[in-house]
Amino acid sequence: MEGSLLSGLNSGVVVSLIAVLWTVVWQNLQHLQLQQFFGRHLSRHARRLAAMVDPYLSVTIAEYEGGRMRRSDAFEEVKAYLSAACSRGVRHLRAEGSKDADKLVLSMVGGEEVADEFQGATVWWWAYSKSPPRSDSASALWGGGGAAQEERRFYRLFFLERHRELVLDTYLPRVRRQGRAVMVKNRQRKLFTNISTHQWSDGGYMRSAWSHVVFEHPKTFATLAMDPARKKEITDDLDMFKNGKEYYARVGKAWKRGYLLYGPPGTGKSAMIAAMANYLDYDIYDIELTSVHSNTDLRKLFIETTSKSIIVIEDIDCSLDLTGARKKKTKAAAEDDKDKKDAAAATKAAGGGGGKKDTSSKVTLSGLLNFIDGLWSACGGERIIVFTTNHVDKLDPALIRRGRMDKHIEMSYCGFEAFKFLAKTYLDVDDHELFGGVGELLREVDMTPADVAENLTPKSLEDNPDSCLAALVKALEEAREKKASGGNDGDEPEEEDEEEQ
């Protein structure tokens, strides 16, 4: 009896020990991830079996890379490369404008496929897209950004496994090179403006934060009313920048340059930007800061700009509170903010949480400085940043110091050399008996090139160089009399800069 009891106890101890040991061993097995090992092993065999049935490999190229931060160069190059092949074997096409006004640039719409031959290998390009996440119906109804959402587009390349090295090492690099060549051939210079970032959808996908039109401004340095020596100085500086890739890399600087254009309204700041773009053959990105909600959104805008572009912020002294005061809010302003916050809190507490979204801009001076020369400004290259202002003394010194705004260009009132240029351009005269009088008057009174050009413009068929120059002399004499009588002709209400005609 006692022996059997002892035997039973021994058996229970052994079972307990085995259970403990098994628990320890099983935990160690889990720690060693043997289950995952067996899973990968089975998956590997499954892929090999699938390869016997489907011998094709694929490469997917998405429209955006890095989330939604930047449009993929590879996607655009593939799109350009396939533009010729699309016209031959695709039934449904997307057409866009071309540099040649009579031609179109074609691309595949989603769901279409086209074949391509290369060194005896056949590959297939398939275009497809994915719809954005469905937005809440209520937010879409109330303008919550549903209209701003766009589908995500992709190209997928299919090829046989035996052509792997040929496709990856030779064919795809060739596609990118030829795609870039087609893009240069079909390139239309564009004028971009930013879409209000309040319309960006948190969960959607917009194709771009920018909208654009074709840039066709006629202004060039050849028709810009400015002293010839100053024009040469500016064009030489632009040439040095455009050809300075190796120099910027050698000195360790981002390939960008800042220009500050300052002067009274009507002195041709906008015309100067157009002339720079035409001279360099660059696109223009015109940023409206009041439409940018935050510093983060400003950074996103910069990332989506391309190389060979001029990024412009006009009248920067009027865009946001970026002046040199850097003062704290006044007591009244602080109390006003407090009242607004209290009112918003009261509305929310009363169940009025469906109020309007805050659309005010929160871009700060610090955010703008980082935009100009922070780490993100080095993403990409060959960009010029241009600020314009009517009152340079109002800007914070940190904003316009050398290194941020590298070259300061004063757009001044019309001088005698600029007048002679305008007389030749508008009246085709190199000299006239009234030139001497005009020169003396221009030294006494301030008149913008835009006003001089307007006076030199013929107004009727009877007008000629004599009558136009006489009209200019009369306008200058009236300005001199106004100045002598105490009139302040230089402090007119500020308007947007007019371009010289």
Side-chain angles (χ1 to χ4, degrees):
M1 183 70 175
E2 292 179 359
S4 62
L5 181 60
L6 183 61
S7 176
L9 290 173
N10 290 336
S11 298
V13 171
V14 170
V15 170
S16 298
L17 289 173
I18 291 174
V20 170
L21 290 173
W22 174 252
T23 300
V24 173
V25 171
W26 178 248
Q27 289 177 346
N28 288 332
L29 287 174
Q30 287 184 319
H31 181 69
L32 293 173
Q33 298 183 342
L34 292 180
Q35 289 179 322
Q36 287 84 348
F37 169 78
F38 288 121
R40 291 196 304 270
H41 189 69
L42 292 175
S43 178
R44 190 179 302 116
H45 285 291
R47 288 196 301 271
R48 290 176 180 173
L49 181 61
M52 297 174 62
V53 179
D54 182 10
Y56 290 94
L57 305 180
S58 69
V59 174
T60 301
I61 300 174
E63 183 176 11
Y64 287 96
E65 55 190 22
R68 254 216 80 255
M69 289 295 289
R70 188 173 185 273
R71 187 184 294 268
S72 169
D73 292 335
F75 181 90
E76 295 297 326
E77 290 159 0
V78 170
K79 176 183 173 182
Y81 173 80
L82 294 175
S83 60
C86 289
S87 61
R88 298 192 303 268
V90 177
R91 296 183 61 189
H92 305 290
L93 301 168
R94 178 185 288 108
E96 300 176 24
S98 171
K99 193 172 185 178
D100 187 335
D102 296 328
K103 293 184 179 180
L104 293 171
V105 177
L106 304 175
S107 60
M108 294 186 288
V109 300
E112 290 291 338
E113 185 179 78
V114 65
D116 193 21
E117 300 283 340
F118 178 70
Q119 294 185 6
T122 302
V123 299
W124 292 266
W125 288 98
W126 178 45
Y128 69 102
S129 59
K130 290 183 179 179
S131 299
R134 294 184 61 183
S135 60
D136 180 74
S137 58
S139 64
L141 179 63
W142 295 103
Q149 297 184 11
E150 293 287 351
E151 62 187 11
R152 291 177 290 173
R153 298 187 295 172
F154 304 84
Y155 285 114
R156 180 166 289 176
L157 173 66
F158 293 93
F159 54 94
L160 291 172
E161 187 171 5
R162 66 174 180 269
H163 298 144
R164 176 194 290 265
E165 292 186 3
L166 176 66
V167 170
L168 298 182
D169 298 338
T170 307
Y171 175 71
L172 283 176
R174 171 179 171 271
V175 167
R176 298 198 65 177
R177 287 193 302 270
Q178 293 194 4
R180 286 193 292 269
V182 173
M183 290 171 66
V184 171
K185 178 181 177 182
N186 295 329
R187 177 174 177 259
Q188 284 182 303
R189 287 189 299 119
K190 299 172 182 176
L191 172 61
F192 293 85
T193 186
N194 54 302
I195 299 171
S196 175
T197 57
H198 310 297
Q199 299 176 9
W200 292 4
S201 174
D202 294 333
Y205 295 84
M206 293 190 308
R207 293 198 178 163
S208 177
W210 298 92
S211 60
H212 70 268
V213 295
V214 176
F215 181 69
E216 297 177 327
H217 201 290
K219 181 60 66 178
T220 65
F221 278 106
T223 60
L224 188 67
M226 180 180 281
D227 184 274
R230 294 193 64 212
K231 281 200 283 189
K232 186 177 187 308
E233 176 190 343
I234 295 169
T235 55
D236 287 347
D237 191 82
L238 294 172
D239 288 334
M240 288 294 294
F241 170 78
K242 187 173 184 179
N243 301 317
K245 182 177 182 180
E246 294 181 0
Y247 167 78
Y248 280 88
R250 178 166 58 85
V251 300
K253 292 176 61 177
W255 191 11
K256 62 179 180 60
R257 189 159 176 80
Y259 284 77
L260 175 67
L261 308 182
Y262 65 97
T267 51
K269 295 185 286 293
S270 297
M272 170 64 77
I273 295 170
M276 292 169 66
N278 284 324
Y279 184 78
L280 295 170
D281 195 26
Y282 282 6
D283 295 324
I284 294 179
Y285 289 85
D286 185 15
I287 297 181
E288 175 54 59
L289 281 182
T290 56
S291 298
V292 184
H293 183 65
S294 66
N295 295 333
T296 299
D297 292 337
L298 183 62
R299 188 161 56 238
K300 290 179 182 178
L301 283 172
F302 185 84
I303 291 299
E304 289 202 12
T305 62
T306 62
S307 61
K308 298 183 182 297
S309 61
I310 299 177
I311 301 170
V312 179
I313 302 179
E314 292 199 88
D315 297 320
I316 192 168
D317 54 309
C318 303
S319 297
L320 294 172
D321 185 14
L322 302 172
T323 63
R326 295 203 197 185
K327 294 180 179 178
K328 295 181 179 180
K329 293 180 180 179
T330 63
K331 183 177 179 180
E335 290 178 354
D336 183 59
D337 287 348
K338 185 176 183 300
D339 291 342
K340 289 181 179 179
K341 291 179 180 178
D342 291 343
T347 302
K348 185 175 182 180
K356 290 185 178 180
K357 187 178 180 180
D358 181 14
T359 59
S360 60
S361 177
K362 302 297 190 301
V363 175
T364 64
L365 176 62
S366 174
L368 188 59
L369 297 182
N370 288 328
F371 165 83
I372 301 170
D373 66 353
L375 292 174
W376 289 89
S377 68
C379 298
E382 201 171 352
R383 292 184 178 95
I384 288 178
I385 300 174
V386 178
F387 291 167
T388 73
T389 179
N390 297 331
H391 303 285
V392 66
D393 55 306
K394 290 185 178 181
L395 297 179
D396 194 298
L399 186 64
I400 59 176
R401 69 163 175 81
R402 307 294 179 175
R404 290 190 172 119
M405 293 293 103
D406 304 285
K407 190 169 183 63
H408 295 189
I409 302 175
E410 181 180 7
M411 307 298 292
S412 58
Y413 291 106
C414 188
F416 187 60
E417 291 297 324
F419 156 72
K420 290 195 297 182
F421 176 86
L422 290 171
K424 176 64 176 176
T425 302
Y426 283 80
L427 304 175
D428 195 25
V429 293
D430 295 303
D431 195 12
H432 193 276
E433 60 182 9
L434 293 177
F435 273 25
V438 171
E440 291 180 4
L441 288 167
L442 286 175
R443 284 190 288 271
E444 296 181 38
V445 296
D446 295 330
M447 181 173 285
T448 66
D451 287 333
V452 172
E454 177 61 25
N455 282 289
L456 294 178
T457 301
K459 306 299 191 299
S460 68
L461 295 178
E462 289 76 22
D463 279 339
N464 54 46
D466 294 334
S467 62
C468 291
L469 286 169
L472 175 59
V473 169
K474 181 180 179 181
L476 287 169
E477 289 175 343
E478 291 175 353
R480 182 176 61 181
E481 292 173 1
K482 183 178 180 181
K483 182 178 179 180
S485 64
N488 194 356
D489 60 311
D491 290 332
E492 297 294 330
E494 291 182 5
E495 300 177 355
E496 293 184 3
D497 287 2
E498 298 180 8
E499 302 161 2
E500 298 97 320
Q501 302 298 317

